[in-house]
């Protein structure tokens, strides 16, 4: 009986450990449902070009300026947003969206796409 209890506890512990590890590894990326919103926003903002740098002071697919990028933790990925990956840009965009309570940092495209501002 003790062996059965030990085996059950081991299986439960294994499930918990295995269930947490992939989430920790995947944390830099956005959830799939949100990713499509960010792709649509990037298409509106920068033609879908996540490496956009047109020289206007806004960078990447979501057209961050340097100050906003740095203020929301972007420098941990790269100094300039257009040099960060799509997934890294989405992580910072999510932080900005949460901080501002919506997609107001992208007013024209949020309005066009019907996103809450």
């Amino acid at each position: 009986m003790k062996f059965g209890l030990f085996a059950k506890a081991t299986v439960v512990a294994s499930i918990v450990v295995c269930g947490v590890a992939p989430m920790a590894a995947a944390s830099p990326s956005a959830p799939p449902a949100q990713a499509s919103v960010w792709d649509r926003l990037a298409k509106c903002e920068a033609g879908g070009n996540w490496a956009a740098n047109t020289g206007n002071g806004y960078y990447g697919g979501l057209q961050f300026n340097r100050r906003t990028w740095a203020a929301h933790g972007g420098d941990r990925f790269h100094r300039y947003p257009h040099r960060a990956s799509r997934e890294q840009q989405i992580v910072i965009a999510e932080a900005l969206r949460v901080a501002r309570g919506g997609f107001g940092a992208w007013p024209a495209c949020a309005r066009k796409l019907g996103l809450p501002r």
Side-chain angles (χ1 to χ4, degrees):
M1 216 40 153
K2 287 184 180 179
F3 178 74
L5 182 61
F6 176 76
K8 286 179 187 175
T10 302
V11 170
V12 170
S14 297
I15 291 170
V16 170
V17 170
C18 291
V20 172
M23 288 179 67
S27 63
S29 63
Q34 284 294 326
S36 65
V37 171
W38 294 116
D39 285 327
R40 290 184 332 176
L41 198 54
K43 185 169 177 72
C44 179
E45 289 286 336
N49 179 3
W50 292 91
N53 178 7
T54 60
N56 66 355
Y58 294 89
Y59 307 91
L62 300 170
Q63 295 293 281
F64 291 99
N65 66 39
R66 271 280 310 128
R67 190 147 98 184
T68 301
W69 175 257
H72 290 87
D75 285 350
R76 73 178 184 235
F77 297 123
H78 203 285
R79 180 167 164 73
Y80 288 96
H82 68 288
R83 293 184 178 158
S85 72
R86 170 189 169 274
E87 291 77 15
Q88 292 167 337
Q89 290 180 50
I90 291 172
V91 167
I92 302 308
E94 245 332 290
L96 177 57
R97 183 192 63 78
V98 168
R100 295 203 180 165
F103 293 88
W106 305 274
C109 288
R111 187 171 34 259
K112 180 179 177 181
L113 297 172
L115 300 172
R117 291 178 276 146

